[in-house]
Every structure is written in C-alpha cells, then in structure tokens.
Amino acid sequence: MTSREILTIQLGHYSNFIGTHWWNIQETNFSYDSDSPSEINHDVLYREGENLKRQVTYTPRLLLVDLREAVGYLKEQGTLYDTSQSEEAQQSLWDDTKVEVLKGETVNKSPFIKSLNESSEAQTPTSSSLSLENNINSWVDYLLPRFHPRTLNVIKHHKHDGAMYPFGIFTYGRNLWNTEQFSDDFSERIRAYVEECDLMQGFQIILDSVDCFAGIGASCMQHLKDEYGKSIISFPCIDSKRTDPSASNMIKILNTALCWQHVEEYTSLFSPLCCGEAAWPQIGDSRVFNHLTYNSELKYHSSALLATALDTLTIRYRRKEYSNVVLSDLCADLNKLGRKATATSLTLPFPMAAKADLIDVLDDFEGPLWTSLTPNCDISMDKNMQSIVLRGISEERLKRPISHAMKQMSKPAYRCSTVHEMMMLYLGCTCHASATYLSNISSPLYIKSPYPKIFNNNITETGDVIGWPIGTDVQSVPVMAGLHSGNDLSAMYESLHSQLSRIRSIKKFHAFTDSGLEEDEFNECLNYLLDCKENYEDHYI
C-alpha cells in the first residue's frame, strides 16, 4: 500500500506539550494484532529506519524546536543510534590529561520516565502510584516515543523568561530564522526528510503563537511554500494558563496578530487552538466538557485535550481504507472564498449511554454536539463548511435487529445501515445550510498512562456514560472532532482587532521596532484582521 507521507513540525514549548501527547496517543493506539489490524496508516506520520546495530526503528517523521531549558535529559542525537563507539575512537586521538572537560548540570528525570527505563516489560507503567500532575515540568517528563537524530533542534542562547536573551517577540524569531546557522541547518533537515518520502502529501505544523516561535514558524512556512509547494495545515496554539494583567499581554496580542497574518499567507489551512473561551487580553474561563474535569492551568491537562482533537480530526487523511483522500482535499474543502482559518471542535467522550444504540443517543441528544477549542469563537450548528471525524462507534451499536427494534422502527434513521449513513442523516437534519465531510472508524481512542485522568467517575471502562459513579479507570472512549469554516470566526477576528487597535503607535514597543517591525507593517496587520472579519461575515437576506 502506497503511503502519502506527511512531515510534522512542532515549534515552541506549549506546542511540544501538545505534540508529546499526540505521539503518545498514536503509540498507545498502535495495533500489533494481525487479526484486527489498525484502520489507520501509521506510515503517513512515521518513518521506518535502521540504526547502526541494524535494528529496525520506527520513529515519528518529526522536527521540533525548543529552548535548552525545556529539553531536559534528552540528547540532541537521540538514543536509538548509538554513537558510543565513534566517541571512544575520537577520545583516543588526544591526550586526556591535557584536555579540559566542562560538564553541565545533571538533569533529573521525572518519576514516570524513570519507571519507563526501569521497567523490564515492554509495557507502559500505570500512573496509579505516580502523581504525574505534580511531576510534570516539561513535555519530556511524559514522553513515550524515541526520536530520530535529526528530530530535536535546540535553541541554546535564549530563555523563556530571560532578561538578557528574551524570547517573547515575533520579530526575534523571524530574525533567528534569517541567521545562516539556524536556517541552513533546519532547512537541510527538512530536505532530508522530504527526500526520503515516496509520495509526500504535505506538512502539518503546530506552533506557539504568542512568542518568538511564531516568527520562526512564519518564516518556516514561507520556506516550505517556496521550496516544496505542498499543502500546509497549521495550528497556532495559546496556553490556557492565566496570568496577572501586565504589559506583556499586549505583546502577546501583537505576536498573535502577526503570527496569524503570516500563517494565513503561507499555509493552505490553519486553526487556532486554546482551551480558554477567550485568549485576549487575558485567558478566559476554560472550555466546559460535560464528562471531564480538567485543570486548564496545567499544560499537561490542556495540551491533552488539544492533542486528542488533532489526533482525531487528522484521521481523515490517515486512513487505510481511503488512501486516496489526502491533506490537499481537506484544505480544498474548507478554504473556500479565501477563508483559510477554521475552528476546531472536540466531543470527548462522544456521549454513548451504556447499553444504548447510536440511533437512540442521537434522537435523545440535547444541546450543542461539540465544544470549540478555538479562542473567542463558538461554533454554531448552521452554515458551516466542515470536516468531522467520529471514532469508536462500531456497526454493532448502530441499532437493534428488527426482532428487538420496538420503537426504533418508527424512527426514520432506522433505515440507515451504517454509522456513517446515520451520522450524515443526523448532521443533515441539525446542521442547516452546512456542507459536511464525515469520516469514521470503528476503533475507539485507547487511553493509557501518561494520558491525564480527567474523565468523570460516571464514565465506564469503555467510555460509556452512566447515571451513577463507577470509579473505574477509563481504557477507551469514542471521540468526535472537526474543523469548521463559517461566520462564527468573524467574532474571533473582530475581538483580536479590537484589542490590537488599542496600540496607537508601534514605536512604544521598542523591542519590535528595534528588531525590524515598521509602522507600515503594523498597520497592514491591523487592516488584515479587519479584512478577515468582513470576509467571514455572511449577510443573508
């Protein structure tokens, strides 16, 4: 089977929190049972290789960038490709007594990572005895996969909150990309991955949008568009952790606006992500999920929700059954009329009542079907172009057989013979004037440590909703996620423009002007937000 490969790029600390959960989820959901093979083609995002010991490796086709302080114990060259022999050979070339050796501080591993290394079984340790929430300082503290040597890219001369080399300005990131050392090395790593692919379909990029990584991401996307001309889908992310009001809020707003302006220019499709209802001037209340209890102040929690949404909605172009459905199809469906921005939705878990069929669940369902994960944007059920993916509902739970159907037979949906057909009927009846592309697979999302324990105690082991507390660990859940393009995004652009227009002159923000941002560029950004607001307004007579 031909694989249409995709290269994933993660830029920034919070983006790597999301990416780590995403790769963990994928590895947890690998199927090694030949009798029930995976419905997902993992070769789209993973690459097969061979290390120096001629052992077969299977690693994410991934490039990630973060600061030195965030990568902790990880080695830049990874651990799969042993270089100890070559290091010993190098050491023999000089006199050790005449060499001064400088050693950095020892970086401690989290208890979870230590338990992984100490485990003699090829299993993920349970977190019952490990309080992950209290031991997660960085994304490396719960990382399951092992990386290819070219995956990790470390920025060594900056700190997130450093006074001497700050990393919170969009133009700083753009200038860093323009340095020959960074751009040549990173571009070469991209080229090496691309040349390995047989039939590449494009790139997916997760990037922090409130700091320097936004500038790196914008320049990277420009490079990808100019050099490769493939489809690019990007997800600018905002951490939902609240902070006290300060002048840095306006800097983050300006970074976000500049990020979106350039992302919209260079990508095929993009969707901002945040677990807060609002993201400016400060983070608002956290998004509510009926059957979840999570702490949006913890990157470890909020990033798990965003990663679950990404893992689910990207199944559309990762399925084995329809290998001809690719990323460019998704982009072409949703970026009509110059609308490249979309809103991301998540339904976790999809509310299947215990011992109930899908036909009854949909018939009794009240309220919105999904929760928005895009800031300052609530997704309505009407007038959308949308791509939705549902996983975890098997055909056996569609409806009862005729001999036991009873009241189900009186419902029009009883004539549906597949989950896909019934869901399309439901969406056609509830999402008026919407064009929907629905993908579905029967396998649920399998939940294992280090996925956070955020499900309420009325969720069964298999993800069903019941009316009383059961207190069991959730092992799998049905999930629905989607991308939506509609006039609801107009409010997002309007609110961002309203906040950014409070800046009367960019000259007051010396860090931006000193690093190359001009007044005309700032005004162009303001006009861009206003144009997008008007572009997403639908005027129906």
Side-chain angles (χ1 to χ4, degrees), residues 215-259:
I216 297 175
S219 299
C220 178
M221 292 176 211
Q222 182 179 12
H223 170 78
L224 295 177
K225 182 179 180 181
D226 294 342
E227 291 294 321
Y228 302 103
K230 301 288 186 180
S231 298
I232 304 172
I233 185 170
S234 62
F235 300 94
C237 304
I238 301 174
D239 184 8
S240 55
K241 182 178 180 179
R242 296 187 179 186
T243 57
D244 295 330
S246 67
S248 64
N249 289 335
M250 290 307 300
I251 293 176
K252 292 179 180 179
I253 290 171
L254 180 53
N255 285 334
T256 300
L258 291 169
C259 175

mmCIF file of all heavy atoms in Angstrom, residues 215-259:
data_model
loop_
_atom_site.group_PDB
_atom_site.id
_atom_site.type_symbol
_atom_site.label_atom_id
_atom_site.label_comp_id
_atom_site.label_asym_id
_atom_site.label_seq_id
_atom_site.Cartn_x
_atom_site.Cartn_y
_atom_site.Cartn_z
ATOM 1 N N GLY A 215 7.379 33.796 15.060
ATOM 2 C CA GLY A 215 8.211 34.334 13.988
ATOM 3 C C GLY A 215 8.989 33.245 13.275
ATOM 4 O O GLY A 215 9.139 33.265 12.048
ATOM 5 N N ILE A 216 9.504 32.278 14.050
ATOM 6 C CA ILE A 216 10.194 31.143 13.425
ATOM 7 C C ILE A 216 9.228 30.369 12.535
ATOM 8 O O ILE A 216 9.551 29.992 11.405
ATOM 9 C CB ILE A 216 10.783 30.215 14.504
ATOM 10 C CG1 ILE A 216 11.839 30.944 15.325
ATOM 11 C CG2 ILE A 216 11.388 28.973 13.863
ATOM 12 C CD1 ILE A 216 12.380 30.130 16.481
ATOM 13 N N GLY A 217 8.008 30.138 13.059
ATOM 14 C CA GLY A 217 7.020 29.380 12.299
ATOM 15 C C GLY A 217 6.613 30.058 11.010
ATOM 16 O O GLY A 217 6.490 29.419 9.965
ATOM 17 N N ALA A 218 6.409 31.375 11.062
ATOM 18 C CA ALA A 218 6.027 32.111 9.853
ATOM 19 C C ALA A 218 7.111 32.008 8.786
ATOM 20 O O ALA A 218 6.827 31.776 7.598
ATOM 21 C CB ALA A 218 5.755 33.571 10.209
ATOM 22 N N SER A 219 8.374 32.155 9.187
ATOM 23 C CA SER A 219 9.472 32.056 8.226
ATOM 24 C C SER A 219 9.618 30.639 7.701
ATOM 25 O O SER A 219 9.918 30.427 6.519
ATOM 26 C CB SER A 219 10.775 32.519 8.887
ATOM 27 O OG SER A 219 10.696 33.864 9.295
ATOM 28 N N CYS A 220 9.417 29.664 8.577
ATOM 29 C CA CYS A 220 9.495 28.268 8.152
ATOM 30 C C CYS A 220 8.431 27.950 7.109
ATOM 31 O O CYS A 220 8.709 27.288 6.103
ATOM 32 C CB CYS A 220 9.349 27.356 9.372
ATOM 33 S SG CYS A 220 9.359 25.586 8.993
ATOM 34 N N MET A 221 7.208 28.428 7.336
ATOM 35 C CA MET A 221 6.127 28.165 6.382
ATOM 36 C C MET A 221 6.392 28.846 5.039
ATOM 37 O O MET A 221 6.075 28.291 3.982
ATOM 38 C CB MET A 221 4.798 28.636 6.963
ATOM 39 C CG MET A 221 4.324 27.817 8.142
ATOM 40 S SD MET A 221 2.804 28.490 8.847
ATOM 41 C CE MET A 221 3.038 28.034 10.567
ATOM 42 N N GLN A 222 6.968 30.035 5.078
ATOM 43 C CA GLN A 222 7.328 30.697 3.825
ATOM 44 C C GLN A 222 8.345 29.859 3.055
ATOM 45 O O GLN A 222 8.238 29.695 1.830
ATOM 46 C CB GLN A 222 7.889 32.084 4.112
ATOM 47 C CG GLN A 222 8.243 32.861 2.850
ATOM 48 C CD GLN A 222 8.787 34.251 3.160
ATOM 49 O OE1 GLN A 222 9.111 34.566 4.307
ATOM 50 N NE2 GLN A 222 8.880 35.091 2.138
ATOM 51 N N HIS A 223 9.306 29.307 3.771
ATOM 52 C CA HIS A 223 10.302 28.441 3.148
ATOM 53 C C HIS A 223 9.641 27.194 2.545
ATOM 54 O O HIS A 223 9.948 26.808 1.398
ATOM 55 C CB HIS A 223 11.351 28.038 4.175
ATOM 56 C CG HIS A 223 12.281 26.963 3.710
ATOM 57 N ND1 HIS A 223 13.335 27.194 2.846
ATOM 58 C CD2 HIS A 223 12.309 25.617 3.973
ATOM 59 C CE1 HIS A 223 13.971 26.057 2.601
ATOM 60 N NE2 HIS A 223 13.376 25.089 3.280
ATOM 61 N N LEU A 224 8.738 26.566 3.284
ATOM 62 C CA LEU A 224 8.076 25.359 2.794
ATOM 63 C C LEU A 224 7.247 25.654 1.545
ATOM 64 O O LEU A 224 7.239 24.868 0.592
ATOM 65 C CB LEU A 224 7.176 24.776 3.889
ATOM 66 C CG LEU A 224 7.877 24.257 5.153
ATOM 67 C CD1 LEU A 224 6.842 23.789 6.164
ATOM 68 C CD2 LEU A 224 8.845 23.131 4.820
ATOM 69 N N LYS A 225 6.553 26.781 1.561
ATOM 70 C CA LYS A 225 5.723 27.137 0.407
ATOM 71 C C LYS A 225 6.575 27.414 -0.818
ATOM 72 O O LYS A 225 6.244 26.970 -1.935
ATOM 73 C CB LYS A 225 4.867 28.355 0.743
ATOM 74 C CG LYS A 225 3.929 28.769 -0.383
ATOM 75 C CD LYS A 225 3.081 29.967 0.009
ATOM 76 C CE LYS A 225 2.143 30.369 -1.125
ATOM 77 N NZ LYS A 225 1.326 31.564 -0.764
ATOM 78 N N ASP A 226 7.678 28.132 -0.638
ATOM 79 C CA ASP A 226 8.535 28.493 -1.767
ATOM 80 C C ASP A 226 9.279 27.286 -2.330
ATOM 81 O O ASP A 226 9.438 27.150 -3.545
ATOM 82 C CB ASP A 226 9.541 29.566 -1.341
ATOM 83 C CG ASP A 226 8.877 30.890 -1.001
ATOM 84 O OD1 ASP A 226 7.727 31.085 -1.412
ATOM 85 O OD2 ASP A 226 9.516 31.721 -0.317
ATOM 86 N N GLU A 227 9.743 26.384 -1.428
ATOM 87 C CA GLU A 227 10.610 25.288 -1.852
ATOM 88 C C GLU A 227 9.842 24.055 -2.324
ATOM 89 O O GLU A 227 10.291 23.351 -3.225
ATOM 90 C CB GLU A 227 11.546 24.891 -0.710
ATOM 91 C CG GLU A 227 12.605 25.927 -0.378
ATOM 92 C CD GLU A 227 13.599 26.111 -1.507
ATOM 93 O OE1 GLU A 227 13.982 25.093 -2.136
ATOM 94 O OE2 GLU A 227 13.997 27.260 -1.771
ATOM 95 N N TYR A 228 8.693 23.768 -1.713
ATOM 96 C CA TYR A 228 8.047 22.477 -1.965
ATOM 97 C C TYR A 228 6.647 22.580 -2.565
ATOM 98 O O TYR A 228 6.212 21.658 -3.251
ATOM 99 C CB TYR A 228 7.997 21.662 -0.664
ATOM 100 C CG TYR A 228 9.362 21.421 -0.076
ATOM 101 C CD1 TYR A 228 9.820 22.158 1.019
ATOM 102 C CD2 TYR A 228 10.229 20.486 -0.627
ATOM 103 C CE1 TYR A 228 11.082 21.959 1.557
ATOM 104 C CE2 TYR A 228 11.498 20.275 -0.102
ATOM 105 C CZ TYR A 228 11.914 21.011 0.996
ATOM 106 O OH TYR A 228 13.170 20.813 1.512
ATOM 107 N N GLY A 229 5.930 23.659 -2.317
ATOM 108 C CA GLY A 229 4.618 23.828 -2.915
ATOM 109 C C GLY A 229 3.594 22.791 -2.510
ATOM 110 O O GLY A 229 2.624 22.562 -3.242
ATOM 111 N N LYS A 230 3.778 22.150 -1.368
ATOM 112 C CA LYS A 230 2.841 21.145 -0.872
ATOM 113 C C LYS A 230 1.817 21.796 0.063
ATOM 114 O O LYS A 230 1.995 22.919 0.531
ATOM 115 C CB LYS A 230 3.580 20.045 -0.117
ATOM 116 C CG LYS A 230 4.624 19.301 -0.944
ATOM 117 C CD LYS A 230 3.984 18.392 -1.961
ATOM 118 C CE LYS A 230 5.028 17.546 -2.683
ATOM 119 N NZ LYS A 230 4.422 16.633 -3.685
ATOM 120 N N SER A 231 0.753 21.061 0.361
ATOM 121 C CA SER A 231 -0.259 21.555 1.287
ATOM 122 C C SER A 231 0.324 21.688 2.685
ATOM 123 O O SER A 231 1.097 20.850 3.136
ATOM 124 C CB SER A 231 -1.462 20.602 1.320
ATOM 125 O OG SER A 231 -2.084 20.529 0.059
ATOM 126 N N ILE A 232 -0.062 22.760 3.372
ATOM 127 C CA ILE A 232 0.403 23.012 4.740
ATOM 128 C C ILE A 232 -0.809 23.302 5.608
ATOM 129 O O ILE A 232 -1.575 24.222 5.323
ATOM 130 C CB ILE A 232 1.365 24.212 4.803
ATOM 131 C CG1 ILE A 232 2.561 24.019 3.866
ATOM 132 C CG2 ILE A 232 1.853 24.425 6.239
ATOM 133 C CD1 ILE A 232 3.446 25.248 3.752
ATOM 134 N N ILE A 233 -0.994 22.514 6.661
ATOM 135 C CA ILE A 233 -2.022 22.805 7.656
ATOM 136 C C ILE A 233 -1.305 23.147 8.959
ATOM 137 O O ILE A 233 -0.362 22.464 9.355
ATOM 138 C CB ILE A 233 -2.994 21.616 7.844
ATOM 139 C CG1 ILE A 233 -4.118 22.007 8.800
ATOM 140 C CG2 ILE A 233 -2.283 20.352 8.311
ATOM 141 C CD1 ILE A 233 -5.250 20.996 8.857
ATOM 142 N N SER A 234 -1.714 24.231 9.591
ATOM 143 C CA SER A 234 -1.007 24.684 10.785
ATOM 144 C C SER A 234 -1.987 24.969 11.913
ATOM 145 O O SER A 234 -3.159 25.296 11.684
ATOM 146 C CB SER A 234 -0.168 25.930 10.481
ATOM 147 O OG SER A 234 -0.993 27.001 10.083
ATOM 148 N N PHE A 235 -1.467 24.843 13.137
ATOM 149 C CA PHE A 235 -2.278 25.028 14.338
ATOM 150 C C PHE A 235 -1.544 25.968 15.300
ATOM 151 O O PHE A 235 -0.735 25.528 16.109
ATOM 152 C CB PHE A 235 -2.549 23.678 15.003
ATOM 153 C CG PHE A 235 -3.291 22.705 14.135
ATOM 154 C CD1 PHE A 235 -2.596 21.777 13.357
ATOM 155 C CD2 PHE A 235 -4.676 22.726 14.068
ATOM 156 C CE1 PHE A 235 -3.267 20.892 12.539
ATOM 157 C CE2 PHE A 235 -5.363 21.842 13.250
ATOM 158 C CZ PHE A 235 -4.663 20.922 12.489
ATOM 159 N N PRO A 236 -1.784 27.288 15.206
ATOM 160 C CA PRO A 236 -1.205 28.226 16.176
ATOM 161 C C PRO A 236 -1.857 28.014 17.542
ATOM 162 O O PRO A 236 -3.089 28.005 17.655
ATOM 163 C CB PRO A 236 -1.559 29.601 15.592
ATOM 164 C CG PRO A 236 -2.004 29.345 14.184
ATOM 165 C CD PRO A 236 -2.559 27.971 14.166
ATOM 166 N N CYS A 237 -1.047 27.842 18.583
ATOM 167 C CA CYS A 237 -1.554 27.456 19.900
ATOM 168 C C CYS A 237 -1.317 28.546 20.943
ATOM 169 O O CYS A 237 -0.332 29.280 20.875
ATOM 170 C CB CYS A 237 -0.878 26.169 20.369
ATOM 171 S SG CYS A 237 -1.061 24.811 19.219
ATOM 172 N N ILE A 238 -2.243 28.591 21.900
ATOM 173 C CA ILE A 238 -2.136 29.524 23.021
ATOM 174 C C ILE A 238 -2.387 28.739 24.301
ATOM 175 O O ILE A 238 -3.417 28.061 24.438
ATOM 176 C CB ILE A 238 -3.151 30.675 22.892
ATOM 177 C CG1 ILE A 238 -2.927 31.454 21.591
ATOM 178 C CG2 ILE A 238 -3.065 31.610 24.099
ATOM 179 C CD1 ILE A 238 -3.965 32.510 21.315
ATOM 180 N N ASP A 239 -1.450 28.821 25.221
ATOM 181 C CA ASP A 239 -1.593 28.159 26.519
ATOM 182 C C ASP A 239 -2.748 28.798 27.291
ATOM 183 O O ASP A 239 -2.909 30.023 27.291
ATOM 184 C CB ASP A 239 -0.285 28.288 27.299
ATOM 185 C CG ASP A 239 -0.305 27.549 28.621
ATOM 186 O OD1 ASP A 239 -1.275 26.809 28.885
ATOM 187 O OD2 ASP A 239 0.659 27.712 29.404
ATOM 188 N N SER A 240 -3.560 27.972 27.966
ATOM 189 C CA SER A 240 -4.734 28.483 28.676
ATOM 190 C C SER A 240 -4.440 28.833 30.131
ATOM 191 O O SER A 240 -5.364 29.105 30.905
ATOM 192 C CB SER A 240 -5.878 27.464 28.612
ATOM 193 O OG SER A 240 -5.466 26.207 29.102
ATOM 194 N N LYS A 241 -3.169 28.830 30.509
ATOM 195 C CA LYS A 241 -2.813 29.219 31.877
ATOM 196 C C LYS A 241 -3.002 30.724 32.045
ATOM 197 O O LYS A 241 -2.538 31.522 31.236
ATOM 198 C CB LYS A 241 -1.364 28.849 32.189
ATOM 199 C CG LYS A 241 -0.959 29.175 33.608
ATOM 200 C CD LYS A 241 0.479 28.735 33.901
ATOM 201 C CE LYS A 241 0.860 29.066 35.348
ATOM 202 N NZ LYS A 241 2.236 28.631 35.671
ATOM 203 N N ARG A 242 -3.691 31.103 33.113
ATOM 204 C CA ARG A 242 -3.971 32.510 33.351
ATOM 205 C C ARG A 242 -2.772 33.211 33.995
ATOM 206 O O ARG A 242 -2.034 32.614 34.763
ATOM 207 C CB ARG A 242 -5.191 32.660 34.257
ATOM 208 C CG ARG A 242 -6.482 32.136 33.641
ATOM 209 C CD ARG A 242 -7.665 32.459 34.513
ATOM 210 N NE ARG A 242 -8.916 31.974 33.930
ATOM 211 C CZ ARG A 242 -10.118 32.222 34.432
ATOM 212 N NH1 ARG A 242 -10.225 32.929 35.549
ATOM 213 N NH2 ARG A 242 -11.194 31.756 33.846
ATOM 214 N N THR A 243 -2.630 34.479 33.666
ATOM 215 C CA THR A 243 -1.570 35.302 34.241
ATOM 216 C C THR A 243 -2.168 36.617 34.724
ATOM 217 O O THR A 243 -3.269 37.014 34.306
ATOM 218 C CB THR A 243 -0.461 35.589 33.214
ATOM 219 O OG1 THR A 243 -1.048 36.233 32.067
ATOM 220 C CG2 THR A 243 0.220 34.303 32.786
ATOM 221 N N ASP A 244 -1.452 37.308 35.594
ATOM 222 C CA ASP A 244 -1.909 38.606 36.078
ATOM 223 C C ASP A 244 -1.825 39.636 34.955
ATOM 224 O O ASP A 244 -0.973 39.528 34.058
ATOM 225 C CB ASP A 244 -1.052 39.061 37.256
ATOM 226 C CG ASP A 244 -1.212 38.148 38.466
ATOM 227 O OD1 ASP A 244 -2.307 37.565 38.620
ATOM 228 O OD2 ASP A 244 -0.240 38.016 39.240
ATOM 229 N N PRO A 245 -2.704 40.637 34.983
ATOM 230 C CA PRO A 245 -2.648 41.690 33.959
ATOM 231 C C PRO A 245 -1.283 42.367 33.950
ATOM 232 O O PRO A 245 -0.740 42.714 35.002
ATOM 233 C CB PRO A 245 -3.752 42.671 34.406
ATOM 234 C CG PRO A 245 -4.673 41.856 35.255
ATOM 235 C CD PRO A 245 -3.801 40.844 35.943
ATOM 236 N N SER A 246 -0.725 42.538 32.759
ATOM 237 C CA SER A 246 0.575 43.194 32.637
ATOM 238 C C SER A 246 0.744 43.702 31.216
ATOM 239 O O SER A 246 -0.064 43.412 30.324
ATOM 240 C CB SER A 246 1.711 42.228 32.985
ATOM 241 O OG SER A 246 1.793 41.192 32.028
ATOM 242 N N ALA A 247 1.826 44.443 31.024
ATOM 243 C CA ALA A 247 2.117 44.973 29.686
ATOM 244 C C ALA A 247 2.409 43.859 28.694
ATOM 245 O O ALA A 247 2.243 44.048 27.478
ATOM 246 C CB ALA A 247 3.298 45.943 29.766
ATOM 247 N N SER A 248 2.848 42.707 29.199
ATOM 248 C CA SER A 248 3.163 41.605 28.288
ATOM 249 C C SER A 248 1.928 41.076 27.572
ATOM 250 O O SER A 248 2.051 40.414 26.539
ATOM 251 C CB SER A 248 3.834 40.465 29.066
ATOM 252 O OG SER A 248 2.951 39.913 30.025
ATOM 253 N N ASN A 249 0.729 41.363 28.087
ATOM 254 C CA ASN A 249 -0.488 40.916 27.415
ATOM 255 C C ASN A 249 -0.600 41.543 26.027
ATOM 256 O O ASN A 249 -1.001 40.879 25.068
ATOM 257 C CB ASN A 249 -1.726 41.265 28.247
ATOM 258 C CG ASN A 249 -1.848 40.415 29.497
ATOM 259 O OD1 ASN A 249 -1.335 39.294 29.544
ATOM 260 N ND2 ASN A 249 -2.521 40.929 30.511
ATOM 261 N N MET A 250 -0.262 42.813 25.912
ATOM 262 C CA MET A 250 -0.324 43.469 24.607
ATOM 263 C C MET A 250 0.745 42.928 23.675
ATOM 264 O O MET A 250 0.532 42.823 22.455
ATOM 265 C CB MET A 250 -0.160 44.981 24.767
ATOM 266 C CG MET A 250 -1.338 45.675 25.421
ATOM 267 S SD MET A 250 -2.939 45.306 24.629
ATOM 268 C CE MET A 250 -2.655 45.900 22.968
ATOM 269 N N ILE A 251 1.902 42.545 24.226
ATOM 270 C CA ILE A 251 2.952 41.945 23.397
ATOM 271 C C ILE A 251 2.464 40.607 22.829
ATOM 272 O O ILE A 251 2.671 40.310 21.652
ATOM 273 C CB ILE A 251 4.234 41.761 24.223
ATOM 274 C CG1 ILE A 251 4.828 43.127 24.603
ATOM 275 C CG2 ILE A 251 5.264 40.936 23.453
ATOM 276 C CD1 ILE A 251 6.044 43.032 25.489
ATOM 277 N N LYS A 252 1.798 39.829 23.663
ATOM 278 C CA LYS A 252 1.276 38.541 23.199
ATOM 279 C C LYS A 252 0.197 38.737 22.136
ATOM 280 O O LYS A 252 0.119 37.963 21.178
ATOM 281 C CB LYS A 252 0.726 37.754 24.384
ATOM 282 C CG LYS A 252 1.798 37.279 25.366
ATOM 283 C CD LYS A 252 1.189 36.532 26.537
ATOM 284 C CE LYS A 252 2.270 36.070 27.507
ATOM 285 N NZ LYS A 252 1.700 35.347 28.672
ATOM 286 N N ILE A 253 -0.635 39.752 22.312
ATOM 287 C CA ILE A 253 -1.675 40.039 21.317
ATOM 288 C C ILE A 253 -1.038 40.431 19.988
ATOM 289 O O ILE A 253 -1.460 39.970 18.913
ATOM 290 C CB ILE A 253 -2.603 41.162 21.831
ATOM 291 C CG1 ILE A 253 -3.457 40.633 23.000
ATOM 292 C CG2 ILE A 253 -3.496 41.683 20.713
ATOM 293 C CD1 ILE A 253 -4.244 41.717 23.713
ATOM 294 N N LEU A 254 -0.008 41.276 20.039
ATOM 295 C CA LEU A 254 0.677 41.688 18.813
ATOM 296 C C LEU A 254 1.373 40.492 18.160
ATOM 297 O O LEU A 254 1.315 40.332 16.926
ATOM 298 C CB LEU A 254 1.678 42.792 19.136
ATOM 299 C CG LEU A 254 2.504 43.348 17.978
ATOM 300 C CD1 LEU A 254 1.610 43.784 16.830
ATOM 301 C CD2 LEU A 254 3.370 44.515 18.455
ATOM 302 N N ASN A 255 2.013 39.654 18.962
ATOM 303 C CA ASN A 255 2.641 38.445 18.418
ATOM 304 C C ASN A 255 1.614 37.559 17.722
ATOM 305 O O ASN A 255 1.861 37.027 16.634
ATOM 306 C CB ASN A 255 3.316 37.653 19.538
ATOM 307 C CG ASN A 255 4.616 38.273 20.015
ATOM 308 O OD1 ASN A 255 5.285 38.986 19.275
ATOM 309 N ND2 ASN A 255 4.976 38.007 21.258
ATOM 310 N N THR A 256 0.456 37.388 18.368
ATOM 311 C CA THR A 256 -0.593 36.535 17.801
ATOM 312 C C THR A 256 -1.103 37.086 16.479
ATOM 313 O O THR A 256 -1.289 36.339 15.504
ATOM 314 C CB THR A 256 -1.758 36.404 18.802
ATOM 315 O OG1 THR A 256 -1.277 35.816 20.019
ATOM 316 C CG2 THR A 256 -2.869 35.542 18.238
ATOM 317 N N ALA A 257 -1.350 38.391 16.435
ATOM 318 C CA ALA A 257 -1.860 39.001 15.204
ATOM 319 C C ALA A 257 -0.857 38.867 14.062
ATOM 320 O O ALA A 257 -1.225 38.522 12.925
ATOM 321 C CB ALA A 257 -2.183 40.471 15.459
ATOM 322 N N LEU A 258 0.422 39.138 14.339
ATOM 323 C CA LEU A 258 1.450 38.984 13.308
ATOM 324 C C LEU A 258 1.571 37.530 12.875
ATOM 325 O O LEU A 258 1.744 37.227 11.685
ATOM 326 C CB LEU A 258 2.797 39.484 13.843
ATOM 327 C CG LEU A 258 2.924 40.996 14.078
ATOM 328 C CD1 LEU A 258 4.200 41.314 14.844
ATOM 329 C CD2 LEU A 258 2.898 41.752 12.745
ATOM 330 N N CYS A 259 1.461 36.618 13.831
ATOM 331 C CA CYS A 259 1.532 35.188 13.521
ATOM 332 C C CYS A 259 0.418 34.786 12.562
ATOM 333 O O CYS A 259 0.672 34.176 11.519
ATOM 334 C CB CYS A 259 1.452 34.380 14.812
ATOM 335 S SG CYS A 259 1.377 32.577 14.574
#
